[in-house]
Amino acid sequence: GDSVTQMEGPVTLSEEAFLTINCTYTATGYPSLFWYVQYPGEGLQLLLKATKADDKGSNKGFEATYRKETTSFHLEKGSVQVSDSAVYFCALSPSRDTPLVFGKGTRLSVIA
Amino acid sequence: NAGVTQTPKFRILKIGQSMTLQCTQDMNHNYMYWYRQDPGMGLKLIYYSVGAGITDKGEVPNGYNVSRSTTEDFPLRLELAAPSQTSVYFCASSYSRDSVAKNIQYFGAGTRLSVL
């Protein structure tokens, strides 16, 4: 079935460091891909999305490119801040009529 | 904007007790979902609904029941609470008409449930 695999955390970085969180997926057809972020004590919120191959989603300095040839959607940020400390979830939408499939999440801690 | 509202925020149950987790959304979304999030794990889908009167099982439906009598509300019922149901529960909703925006899910803040 459809699935999402994320790199395991926790990831600890110093402020202003470069961030990459790997995400690969398995799906039939052409899914849409998402990154959600969960700040401490809160629900998940959409960070960015991409709906077709080679699309780049971006928001708040984060970027991810839909790579069909490598079935990947890696999250990147050039310079992280303490406020980016959160759990990040990669997710896919197999089709318009099925629920999202989430990865296990990657916890990021940024230290000053 | 209220968005997705879940109540209560915290609850402790004894084994065998029952309770209902409430979820309300004010965005006129067709689709609603219930997930559970265990420590260190991702989200697992319990039940979802594509509209009033229609519900479907997700990955882990055993021990839970749902109903969808209105567009706004999607309560989750635990009939006989067990320690294995200790988790954080999230409700989410999404809009259906636009095939791109349809699966942007909006989440509530969660209900933290402990069964002792």
Side-chain angles (χ1 to χ4, degrees):
Chain A
D2 300 318
S3 66
V4 174
T5 303
Q6 290 181 235
M7 63 184 289
E8 293 196 14
V11 174
T12 302
L13 295 173
S14 297
E15 210 166 20
E16 300 184 1
F18 184 86
L19 168 71
T20 299
I21 300 178
N22 291 336
C23 171
T24 58
Y25 67 90
T26 301
T28 55
Y30 303 95
S32 295
L33 301 174
F34 305 82
W35 277 100
Y36 278 81
V37 59
Q38 183 181 27
Y39 297 105
E42 300 183 9
L44 281 71
Q45 54 185 276
L46 179 69
L47 180 60
L48 53 85
K49 64 177 175 64
T51 57
K52 62 183 186 297
D54 299 325
D55 268 2
K56 177 185 284 188
S58 62
N59 186 25
K60 300 182 180 179
F62 291 90
E63 293 184 339
T65 301
Y66 190 143
R67 302 288 188 197
K68 187 172 183 294
E69 64 277 12
T70 56
T71 61
S72 65
F73 193 54
H74 305 321
L75 182 68
E76 296 181 336
K77 187 175 185 181
S79 175
V80 294
Q81 305 300 312
V82 172
S83 58
D84 293 326
S85 297
V87 180
Y88 292 82
F89 291 91
C90 187
L92 69 83
S93 170
S95 69
R96 59 180 296 165
D97 295 322
T98 54
L100 291 179
V101 176
F102 285 90
K104 291 188 176 181
T106 302
R107 182 177 299 279
L108 169 66
S109 295
V110 180
I111 55 176
Chain B
N1 294 333
V4 179
T5 302
Q6 292 183 238
T7 57
K9 292 189 185 304
F10 304 95
R11 184 72 184 268
I12 297 175
L13 286 181
K14 295 182 179 179
I15 294 172
Q17 286 186 320
S18 61
M19 77 164 293
T20 298
L21 283 67
Q22 301 292 344
C23 175
T24 299
Q25 53 91 8
D26 64 357
M27 298 174 281
N28 200 32
H29 283 169
N30 292 57
Y31 284 55
M32 296 187 73
Y33 313 82
W34 274 106
Y35 296 90
R36 57 177 288 171
Q37 183 180 32
D38 298 330
M41 303 294 289
L43 282 75
K44 293 185 178 180
L45 183 66
I46 305 172
Y47 272 96
Y48 67 103
S49 168
V50 302
I54 306 170
T55 61
D56 281 296
K57 295 179 180 179
E59 182 183 0
V60 290
N62 291 344
Y64 306 94
N65 282 299
V66 293
S67 59
R68 184 94 181 272
S69 57
T70 66
T71 298
E72 295 79 17
D73 300 309
F74 191 41
L76 178 71
R77 178 84 176 162
L78 284 69
E79 292 293 350
L80 291 171
S84 60
Q85 294 178 305
T86 294
S87 189
V88 181
Y89 291 84
F90 288 102
C91 179
S93 70
S94 66
Y95 186 51
S96 67
R97 291 178 185 269
D98 183 325
S99 64
V100 172
K102 169 185 173 306
N103 265 323
I104 295 175
Q105 294 187 6
Y106 297 83
F107 284 79
T111 294
R112 187 175 298 274
L113 175 67
S114 294
V115 182
L116 305 175

